[in-house]
Amino acid sequence: MPTPHYGQPRYRAIADELRERIETGAIPPGALLPAESALTAEFRAARGTIRQAIAVLREERLVATDHGRGTYANPSWNESGLTEGSEPKRSERQVAADPELAALFDVEVGAALIEQQSLIRANGVVGTVIRAYRVLWTKQ
Amino acid sequence: MPTPHYGQPRYRAIADELRERIETGAIPPGALLPAESALTAEFRAARGTIRQAIAVLREERLVATDHGRGTYANPSWNESGLTEGSEPKRSERQVAADPELAALFDVEVGAALIEQQSLIRANGVVGTVIRAYRVLWTKQ
DNA sequence: AGAAATTTGTCCGTATGTATC
DNA sequence: AGATACATACGGACAAATTTC
């Protein structure tokens, strides 16, 4: 546990994990990554290690951090990144919570949720649709 | 006095002190703890150290913190009940395509889709629900 | 209604001491 | 010896939610 960096250093492994979450849409474009303190808890890594991992992603332009605010995923949804991106593939709208979502978020059915939809295209055709839901009103 | 952690770290000692004040009633249930700025002055510790101490108590459910408001002692309404058993954080099921998804995937309404749902928790509560949709049979 | 002050949340940079590969 | 990593601690700054004036 202390410092076994078999092959790959820890901060790179953490960077890989976070990169996957972003690329799979688990952390949708424009969303905030968990705070450094939350990541230290989740990965049970020191803050310096977490910051090193995020620095890797920042260098890849996969995230951008605002001082005092947080670290955002995919800040380049308006500028074509790797692909020429024929269409904007992100949209956000307000929807009502269906019974299942209401139970998960512990809110009333019909409560306002933010739905962020992203599309993943392969060869021009839509391969995956990702919908991320979060409560509009934190707290209640 | 830079950073000697002989024996017990400072944030634990501070947490112990605050815990005792709560348990002895010096800080009654529902009352606000002194602000972080006040605690930094009292213990002559950095704010980060104070916040670490409070984080310990928060984990013990001895206090609860509201952004912009303060940290309360003994939140009596802790009916949360530590969850009814860990829910799976990733589940997969087959659903029928709604009109929007059907259009995106270019299939008929009602066609079979795979929905993969993931939950992202922050501090134990569901913060985001991710639903990823794919067509069931990717017959080229 | 609006501005200011308070308070918590988050990030930044740095530093020390310890331990392991 | 050097790189990696952990745990702890400091101080500063900006952001956001809440309260007070």
Side-chain angles (χ1 to χ4, degrees):
Chain A
M1 333 240 293
T3 314
H5 55 90
Y6 308 121
Q8 197 179 217
R10 188 115 157 77
Y11 73 94
R12 292 216 170 268
I14 295 175
D16 290 345
E17 166 67 24
L18 292 176
R19 187 184 307 107
E20 182 169 334
R21 288 189 201 176
I22 293 170
E23 287 175 345
T24 62
I27 300 177
L32 281 171
L33 270 67
E36 292 177 352
S37 57
L39 293 174
T40 60
E42 175 179 349
F43 291 103
R44 294 209 233 95
R47 190 187 153 217
T49 307
I50 297 296
R51 286 175 57 76
Q52 235 176 321
I54 291 179
V56 170
L57 302 179
R58 188 162 34 231
E59 202 136 324
E60 297 170 0
R61 311 283 187 218
L62 235 166
V63 303
T65 53
D66 283 0
H67 188 172
R69 211 169 134 75
T71 297
Y72 293 93
N74 272 323
S76 54
W77 52 274
N78 50 359
E79 322 168 20
S80 57
L82 32 153
T83 62
E84 74 291 341
S86 47
E87 299 304 320
K89 39 183 195 215
R90 191 191 89 147
S91 60
E92 188 175 303
R93 61 186 166 183
Q94 186 173 326
V95 299
D98 66 38
E100 186 184 354
L101 289 174
L104 288 170
F105 285 119
D106 193 23
V107 298
E108 306 90 35
V109 174
L113 298 179
I114 294 295
E115 181 197 84
Q116 215 169 30
Q117 179 169 287
S118 312
L119 306 181
I120 297 180
R121 288 191 174 84
N123 303 330
V125 303
V126 174
T128 307
V129 176
I130 295 165
R131 290 177 176 170
Y133 300 89
R134 55 179 63 81
V135 288
L136 178 53
W137 316 109
T138 58
K139 238 34 84 106
Q140 66 107 339
Chain B
M1 338 349 187
T3 313
H5 56 86
Y6 314 124
Q8 201 187 22
R10 292 202 64 194
Y11 75 93
R12 291 213 175 271
I14 295 174
D16 290 345
E17 167 67 24
L18 292 176
R19 188 185 306 106
E20 184 168 331
R21 289 188 201 176
I22 293 171
E23 286 174 346
T24 62
I27 300 178
L32 282 171
L33 270 67
E36 293 173 355
S37 56
L39 294 175
T40 60
E42 176 181 348
F43 292 103
R44 299 226 219 91
R47 195 180 156 214
T49 307
I50 297 296
R51 287 177 59 77
Q52 225 174 332
I54 291 179
V56 170
L57 303 179
R58 188 161 36 227
E59 203 137 323
E60 297 170 0
R61 304 286 193 250
L62 235 166
V63 302
T65 304
D66 283 357
H67 187 174
R69 217 166 131 69
T71 298
Y72 294 92
N74 273 323
S76 51
W77 55 306
N78 54 357
E79 316 305 335
S80 53
L82 52 124
T83 74
E84 63 301 321
S86 57
E87 310 143 34
K89 60 179 184 180
R90 200 160 199 161
S91 58
E92 196 172 300
R93 61 186 166 183
Q94 184 174 330
V95 300
D98 65 38
E100 186 184 355
L101 289 172
L104 288 170
F105 285 120
D106 191 25
V107 298
E108 307 89 42
V109 174
L113 298 178
I114 292 294
E115 181 197 87
Q116 194 176 331
Q117 179 170 290
S118 321
L119 305 182
I120 298 180
R121 288 191 177 81
N123 304 329
V125 303
V126 174
T128 308
V129 176
I130 311 291
R131 288 177 175 171
Y133 299 89
R134 298 179 184 80
V135 289
L136 180 49
W137 305 117
T138 61
K139 56 191 75 170
Q140 59 245 15

